[in-house]
Amino acid sequence: MRVIAIVNQKGGCGKTTTTVNLAGALAADGHRVLILDMDPQAHATLAVGLEPDDLEVNLYEVLVEPAGASRLDSVIVDVTDDIDIAPSSIVLSALEQKLAAERHDARTERLAAALDTLPPLYDYVLIDCPPNVGLLTFNALRAASEVIIPLETSFFAIDGVQKLLETISLLSDRIGHQLHVRVLPTLYDGRTRYARQTLGDIRELFKELCFDSVIRLNVKLREAARQGLPISLYAPSANGALDYASVAMELDASPPDQASVRAGASEVELEETIASGPPREVVVRFRDASAGDVRIAGDFNGWVPDKGVRSLIESDGQTRVWTKILQLSPGEYQYRYVVDGEWREDPDNPQIVKSAIGGRNSLLVVR
Ligand SMILES: Nc1ncnc2c1ncn2[C@@H]1O[C@H](COP(=O)(O)OP(=O)(O)OP(=O)(O)O)[C@@H](O)[C@H]1O
Ligand SMILES: [Mg+2]
């Protein structure tokens, strides 16, 4: 059973559309899918044709009980032969306050504990999250082993994603389980140059963490939601159906143990290697004839360019040499240079590693 949380604190980026239509596409491929609607707005519940007010029970009943006390299957509703849903309701918004007095761990493991009580009926569990990183999203992340972050390919898409990745990484670290993160470009309008450019930026930034599939803007997706059907049933030949079918195929072809990079890899590994001796002076040099400003950023200074670093600039004929003096304990450190505002690997260092978000960093080993 693969448990996937669909997360982004940004509203309207396609979380619910992705949850419901990916469920439809996976079901069309013969998988059994459970949707968990963790958003008090209950949009996923509505998008599969249910009216939250007509339902007697919902996920609130499961989450409000102490871990393991309430069985998840008592709130599950059949949507189609292959899709079930644990519905939401506006009462879910009261959960945070209701559980305020409880220990953080006890509050955030409710959904994971409830999932443990399920018989192994499902191939996929897709969790639709609200547009914030509060208690409900934390519960989803604790229960999941994979995360899909839908990113709208328009203005400010990437804003806040770094923060979200850090949160996911910290959480993976704290709960000691890996979360495999992937980014899905959504609401893509290929007619505009801006969208094409943003898609390029997203691919460049997230590299193999980005799905090859892209969800195009398609009005049929909106209509399908209004009709209470996944698009695979409402308009199976529409672009929206084809795009989600393509995501389903990619997802199915790469189970999490083969997923390329996990969030937080660098931090977790770093903690194991760092601070195993007194700091000493480490000198690195960057040579360039045309650069005006060269700074260094890495694990050692929280990726803040030149923070805590002593710099010297010398000339070596035509070439200028930037000397950076770092104070480092034995361990491994990832870093990059910021050359006139552009982030670059160290051209003189052949040791390159993948960063937590799929980019490339230079590696410095201090013995
Ligand atoms: N590819 C698309 N083409 C056209 N419309 C879309 C597409 N994806 C989503 N939409 C529409 O955009 C709106 C927002 O999408 P959606 O509800 O999936 O976002 P969300 O991230 O779940 O929002 P929230 O943060 O409020 O939960 C909806 O009206 C939805 O039907
Ligand atoms: Mg939503």
Side-chain angles (χ1 to χ4, degrees), residues 32-349:
R32 301 238 342 134
V33 188
L34 172 65
I35 296 172
L36 300 178
D37 189 352
M38 288 290 274
D39 185 355
Q41 298 180 99
H43 287 166
T45 304
L46 288 160
V48 297
L50 298 173
E51 183 49 60
D53 292 343
D54 294 348
L55 299 166
E56 271 171 30
V57 285
N58 54 61
L59 267 173
Y60 179 81
E61 274 75 39
V62 175
L63 298 170
V64 80
E65 297 291 335
S70 174
R71 291 184 60 94
L72 181 55
D73 54 6
S74 65
V75 305
I76 288 175
V77 181
D78 281 7
V79 175
T80 67
D81 282 351
D82 295 314
I83 303 176
D84 289 352
I85 188 168
S88 170
S89 142
I90 187 71
V91 295
L92 261 186
S93 58
L95 190 74
E96 189 132 20
Q97 214 178 0
K98 183 90 181 161
L99 301 184
E102 295 211 11
R103 267 189 315 118
H104 181 81
D105 266 8
R107 272 185 291 157
T108 55
E109 67 193 12
R110 294 277 161 109
L111 187 65
L115 266 180
D116 281 346
T117 66
L118 267 192
L121 286 176
Y122 302 99
D123 302 310
Y124 285 90
V125 177
L126 304 182
I127 313 176
D128 188 24
C129 291
N132 58 59
V133 187
L135 179 66
L136 293 160
T137 299
F138 265 95
N139 265 277
L141 289 171
R142 278 202 80 148
S145 50
E146 296 170 69
V147 175
I148 295 177
I149 304 178
L151 274 192
E152 182 181 348
T153 38
S154 72
F155 291 104
F156 312 121
I158 298 163
D159 273 16
V161 177
Q162 200 65 33
K163 188 88 206 119
L164 179 61
L165 287 170
E166 277 168 31
T167 307
I168 292 172
S169 145
L170 279 174
L171 187 81
S172 307
D173 217 359
R174 198 167 67 213
I175 61 184
H177 91 212
Q178 297 176 13
L179 278 165
H180 301 269
V181 180
R182 284 170 147 205
V183 163
L184 177 65
T186 57
L187 289 141
Y188 177 66
D189 182 356
R191 291 166 306 184
T192 73
R193 194 157 59 87
Y194 187 80
R196 292 196 299 272
Q197 202 176 323
T198 306
L199 181 62
D201 291 347
I202 292 173
R203 290 208 189 291
E204 170 67 23
L205 186 63
F206 296 103
K207 303 233 164 36
E208 59 270 54
L209 295 193
C210 190
F211 279 95
D212 291 333
S213 318
V214 171
I215 308 301
R216 289 167 286 182
L217 206 61
N218 182 214
V219 69
K220 294 273 182 220
L221 283 164
R222 224 164 270 182
E223 289 173 20
R226 237 175 280 133
Q227 292 298 316
L229 287 170
I231 195 163
S232 54
L233 298 177
Y234 175 73
S237 55
N239 282 345
L242 304 180
D243 292 347
Y244 279 107
S246 159
V247 178
M249 242 166 61
E250 262 193 75
L251 196 65
D252 209 44
S254 61
D257 50 331
Q258 288 168 24
S260 42
V261 184
R262 70 187 165 86
S266 59
E267 284 87 344
V268 176
E269 279 151 23
L270 210 75
E271 267 194 3
E272 285 160 9
T273 51
I274 211 168
S276 48
R280 64 184 185 81
E281 212 160 75
V282 177
V283 175
V284 290
R285 291 197 170 83
F286 183 91
R287 295 174 176 78
D288 196 294
S290 56
D293 174 52
V294 176
R295 288 175 291 157
I296 190 168
D299 300 317
F300 42 79
N301 63 1
W303 295 92
V304 180
D306 266 2
K307 185 176 165 204
V309 175
R310 267 199 300 138
S311 296
L312 301 170
I313 308 174
E314 294 151 291
S315 276
D316 175 9
Q318 288 285 302
T319 309
R320 296 176 87 192
V321 182
W322 281 262
T323 300
K324 302 288 175 186
I325 304 160
L326 318 167
Q327 296 288 330
L328 300 177
S329 295
E332 291 187 2
Y333 301 90
Q334 295 186 23
Y335 69 100
R336 301 187 90 182
Y337 285 109
V338 189
V339 182
D340 295 330
E342 198 179 295
W343 291 71
R344 288 201 209 156
E345 295 138 40
D346 184 346
D348 294 329
N349 181 355

